[in-house]
Amino acid sequence: MDGFVTVHFFGWWLKALILRDYWLCTVLSIMFEVLEYTLEHQLPNFSECWWDHWIMDALLCNGLGIYLGMRTCEYLSMKPYRWSGMWNIPTYKGKLWRIALQFSPYSWTDFDWRPTDSLKRWLAMLAFIAMFLLAELGTFYLKFILWIPPPHFLCLGRLVFFLVAGGVAMRETFEFLDNPKCKKFGQQAWIISAIIVTEVLIVLKFDWETVTKPFPPHVALFWILGALAILIWTIWHFYVKRLWNWHVKRIIRDKKRLSNGPVDVYATRVRANKTKKQ
């Protein structure tokens, strides 16, 4: 079996444990395959057959990894978490098991990202998806530009670091978006963001020629239309649609008032004044 198949599968299994959302995992998986298509002119190893993109990668490796990762999330969410002190456990086997459980979650929180609930959440999710995809692309661009062979320990070490630190950053990001009392972005989230930006700057510094290769016309047109579609949908959903709904509710409210008959404003004011005096 190809090593990349194993990396794809287990990588998306662990990413699903971090993201904890079918919708978000699927969007990121498909978007990365689209990025591979559109960046073939810059990185030769992105040139693959269509079945390799969509059957082997997106459907089998990524899809199965996401499915098993979400099933693991369901198990962890239903699992009871009872923590006791090491010296309160009578048997040596129980003590060893307690040591192993030290590296498991203290508790489990399901993520419900709800990207379309508000404009803030929608823009935050777009920014998060962009940063996540930049981190994914950094794996390939850094290997290509810095001449790092795939079996090198730095490649695997970087992925493990992003999985471990990214899990904490993801929890902080969700807390910032979901908890009204949380007013600050988490420290780990800031550190991960700074690392991703630093990697982008390294890529731009050491191989500007590769990064600035012009996009083919059809690829540029695709991204322009995609950006316009997102912009138009954002304006429609968060402004036009809500304004229309507010207008419809106002019309319905006015009709109800008219159906109840004319309101005697003077009698209503006199009644209100008598109530205040009493």
Side-chain angles (χ1 to χ4, degrees), residues 98-111:
R98 175 63 180 80
I99 293 173
L101 290 178
Q102 189 67 27
F103 300 95
S104 66
Y106 176 76
S107 62
W108 191 260
T109 302
D110 293 324
F111 290 171

Side-chain angles (χ1 to χ4, degrees), residues 218-257:
H218 65 282
V219 173
L221 179 62
F222 170 80
W223 282 109
I224 290 172
L225 293 177
L228 285 175
I230 292 175
L231 179 61
I232 293 171
W233 187 90
T234 302
I235 295 173
W236 174 79
H237 183 78
F238 293 104
Y239 292 99
V240 177
K241 182 181 177 182
R242 293 187 177 183
L243 185 62
W244 174 255
N245 290 338
W246 174 81
H247 180 66
V248 170
K249 289 179 181 178
R250 186 178 179 182
I251 293 175
I252 294 173
R253 187 172 61 250
D254 292 343
K255 286 183 178 179
K256 287 183 178 179
R257 287 180 179 176

Side-chain angles (χ1 to χ4, degrees), residues 131-142:
M131 293 295 287
F132 191 97
L133 292 175
L134 281 175
E136 293 282 291
L137 289 174
T139 305
F140 297 89
Y141 274 89
L142 290 172

Side-chain angles (χ1 to χ4, degrees), residues 43 64 78 115 233 240:
L43 295 184
L64 286 176
M78 294 185 293
W233 187 90
V240 177

Side-chain angles (χ1 to χ4, degrees), residues 58-71:
L59 185 60
L60 294 179
C61 297
N62 299 359
L64 286 176
I66 292 170
Y67 173 76
L68 289 180
M70 293 304 300
R71 295 291 291 179

Side-chain angles (χ1 to χ4, degrees), residues 35-228:
L35 283 174
E36 284 189 337
Y37 265 121
T38 57
L39 294 173
E40 289 179 351
H41 64 289
Q42 294 184 3
L43 295 184
N45 60 332
F46 279 169
S47 298
E48 299 174 346
C49 300
W50 66 268
W51 57 266
D52 200 354
H53 278 293
W54 301 112
I55 305 299
M56 285 297 297
D57 289 350
L59 185 60
L60 294 179
C61 297
N62 299 359
L64 286 176
I66 292 170
Y67 173 76
L68 289 180
M70 293 304 300
R71 295 291 291 179
T72 307
C73 289
E74 293 176 6
Y75 165 75
L76 292 173
S77 64
M78 294 185 293
K79 174 188 173 184
Y81 292 88
R82 299 187 185 94
W83 297 101
S84 58
M86 179 74 67
W87 308 114
N88 296 329
I89 302 174
T91 62
Y92 287 107
K93 182 179 179 181
K95 285 182 171 62
L96 291 174
W97 182 244
R98 175 63 180 80
I99 293 173
L101 290 178
Q102 189 67 27
F103 300 95
S104 66
Y106 176 76
S107 62
W108 191 260
T109 302
D110 293 324
F111 290 171
D112 185 8
W113 292 98
R114 304 192 310 276
T116 58
D117 272 13
S118 66
L119 182 61
K120 173 189 172 183
R121 295 181 78 98
W122 173 247
L123 295 178
M125 289 307 300
L126 291 180
F128 166 75
I129 290 172
M131 293 295 287
F132 191 97
L133 292 175
L134 281 175
E136 293 282 291
L137 289 174
T139 305
F140 297 89
Y141 274 89
L142 290 172
K143 285 192 304 181
F144 178 77
I145 291 171
L146 302 179
W147 297 355
I148 302 175
H152 199 278
F153 74 94
L154 284 178
C155 297
L156 182 60
R158 175 186 175 275
L159 294 176
V160 171
F161 169 78
F162 266 100
L163 284 171
V164 175
V168 182
M170 202 66 58
R171 182 68 177 87
E172 293 176 346
T173 303
F174 180 77
E175 187 72 17
F176 177 74
L177 292 176
D178 202 62
N179 187 358
K181 296 181 180 179
C182 182
K183 303 298 181 183
K184 292 183 179 180
F185 209 43
Q187 295 180 355
Q188 200 70 38
W190 278 117
I191 292 173
I192 290 293
S193 301
I195 291 173
I196 295 172
V197 172
T198 302
E199 289 184 346
V200 172
L201 294 176
I202 290 172
V203 172
L204 295 176
K205 176 179 175 59
F206 289 101
D207 203 348
W208 179 256
E209 294 181 358
T210 298
V211 179
T212 55
K213 285 182 181 178
F215 285 93
H218 65 282
V219 173
L221 179 62
F222 170 80
W223 282 109
I224 290 172
L225 293 177
L228 285 175

